[in-house]
Amino acid sequence: MVMGIDDRAVGIDNGFNHRIKPRLGAGLGHNAVSTEELLSVPVSAYKCSSKQEWQVETADRKVCVVTGVGPGTGRAIAEHFAQDYAVAMLARDENRLDSIAATSEHLHPYPCDVTDLQQLHTTLDRVRRELGTPEVAVHNAVSGAFGDALAIDPEVLESNFQVNVMALLHLTQALAPAMVEAGSGAIVA
């Protein structure tokens, strides 16, 4: 799903022909987007106009934040956005981030545990200073626990909740105000 932000409101759009009524506080809905669908959309489509229409942005290189950048989906998303954006890659594994960043001048490593609120804010402040204000954010950091509900350790579920829900909330609260003020932006989860 994509949370599109313009000068009038915050709206949710899964980017694939289904528009949810734009309004501040719109629910996240159940419009899950697969990795294949996300990567099939042109990077520049994540620019939202004041008319709430997705349009191609061809001006200067904008900034995109991608969380959970590892060897799989996160890397693919970061590389995809690096075609048109300066990409701030956030993940805990600094060595892996450095390795991925070495493949493109538009990929920038920012080691960060997104479940640590202070670390997240410090990292996002650094991104703003070094790259500029993010116009797009992709929350790819996820965690899962599978198995018998009676056997799952509650601490594992709490950890999953911190990554999957609270980190997304904190990322959104940290980035959306500047997007609203600028009149455009997108947060993809």
Side-chain angles (χ1 to χ4, degrees):
M1 107 208 65
V2 176
M3 178 169 61
I5 299 169
D6 75 2
D7 58 350
R8 295 175 296 173
V10 175
I12 308 296
D13 187 337
N14 68 8
F16 308 97
N17 303 320
H18 179 73
R19 185 81 181 152
I20 296 173
K21 182 178 179 183
R23 68 186 191 286
L24 190 60
L28 296 181
H30 300 286
N31 299 312
V33 176
S34 71
T35 302
E36 292 78 21
E37 289 173 314
L38 175 65
L39 296 179
S40 71
V41 175
V43 173
S44 53
Y46 290 96
K47 170 77 172 98
C48 185
S49 75
S50 61
K51 296 179 182 176
Q52 286 286 324
E53 297 169 356
W54 297 97
Q55 66 182 21
V56 174
E57 174 63 38
T58 57
D60 298 332
R61 190 167 287 269
K62 303 294 184 182
V63 178
C64 174
V65 171
V66 179
T67 67
V69 176
T73 304
R75 180 181 184 149
I77 292 168
E79 289 173 342
H80 181 70
F81 275 90
Q83 296 171 41
D84 296 315
Y85 286 79
V87 178
M89 302 181 299
L90 278 60
R92 292 181 292 213
D93 189 334
E94 184 173 3
N95 291 331
R96 181 171 288 139
L97 287 175
D98 289 341
S99 172
I100 296 168
T103 67
S104 170
E105 66 181 318
H106 304 300
L107 296 171
H108 307 275
Y110 290 90
C112 178
D113 179 349
V114 295
T115 64
D116 181 327
L117 183 58
Q118 180 60 44
Q119 194 176 119
L120 179 63
H121 281 283
T122 299
T123 301
L124 292 174
D125 287 343
R126 189 174 148 222
V127 168
R128 287 182 193 101
R129 281 192 317 273
E130 295 176 3
L131 301 178
T133 302
E135 185 170 299
V136 175
V138 179
H139 180 69
N140 180 65
V142 294
S143 181
F146 305 96
D148 183 353
L150 299 176
I152 292 177
D153 182 349
E155 289 181 15
V156 171
L157 290 179
E158 175 64 29
S159 174
N160 293 342
F161 185 79
Q162 291 301 316
V163 173
N164 299 339
V165 177
M166 297 308 297
L168 172 59
L169 174 66
H170 296 310
L171 181 73
T172 300
Q173 289 178 335
L175 297 178
M179 293 177 181
V180 170
E181 184 177 321
S184 69
I187 297 174
V188 182

